[in-house]
Amino acid sequence: MSYELLIALSVGAGMFGVGLYGALSQTNLVMIIMGVELVLAAALVNLVAFWRYLHPEEPAAQMFVLIIMAVMAVEMAVGFGIAIARFRSRGSVEMEEARELKG
């Protein structure tokens, strides 16, 4: 295994750990969304690292990266839209106060 692959996988694992901790430990909706985005970014780093190491001549992984980036953009738009709607209706984006979502 090359050192570049190990460095990329270590960075991806670190990002995944920080994102998972951020998504599970926060009560603010915006911080949870940021943690999920960090987890998806870590998946992108690992995907690119494995693609570069295993099959650099095939463009299939590049398409997966573009798809994941599109999913990240949609997730951010929907998540922040929900956060803005929640803040306008209730005045807070804390998840502890969002036990009942109707009305």
Side-chain angles (χ1 to χ4, degrees):
M1 244 186 214
S2 68
Y3 290 112
E4 294 87 13
L5 179 65
L6 290 176
I7 290 171
L9 292 179
S10 298
V11 167
M15 287 172 59
F16 185 84
V18 170
L20 189 64
Y21 176 75
L24 295 177
S25 67
Q26 298 296 323
T27 60
N28 190 333
L29 180 61
V30 175
M31 297 301 288
I32 292 170
I33 293 171
M34 289 175 64
V36 171
E37 285 295 316
L38 202 53
V39 167
L40 289 173
L44 273 177
V45 168
N46 286 334
L47 180 66
V48 169
F50 278 119
W51 166 74
R52 181 78 173 133
Y53 181 70
L54 296 176
H55 303 287
E57 67 279 349
E58 293 186 20
Q62 294 174 358
M63 293 307 295
F64 285 132
V65 167
L66 290 175
I67 290 169
I68 292 173
M69 288 174 70
V71 168
M72 289 173 66
V74 168
E75 185 258 337
M76 283 295 271
V78 169
F80 284 131
I82 291 171
I84 289 171
R86 171 89 178 130
F87 184 76
R88 286 182 180 170
S89 68
R90 304 285 178 151
S92 173
V93 290
E94 294 296 321
M95 293 306 292
E96 292 175 351
E97 299 171 1
R99 301 244 183 247
E100 186 177 318
L101 292 177
K102 66 178 183 178

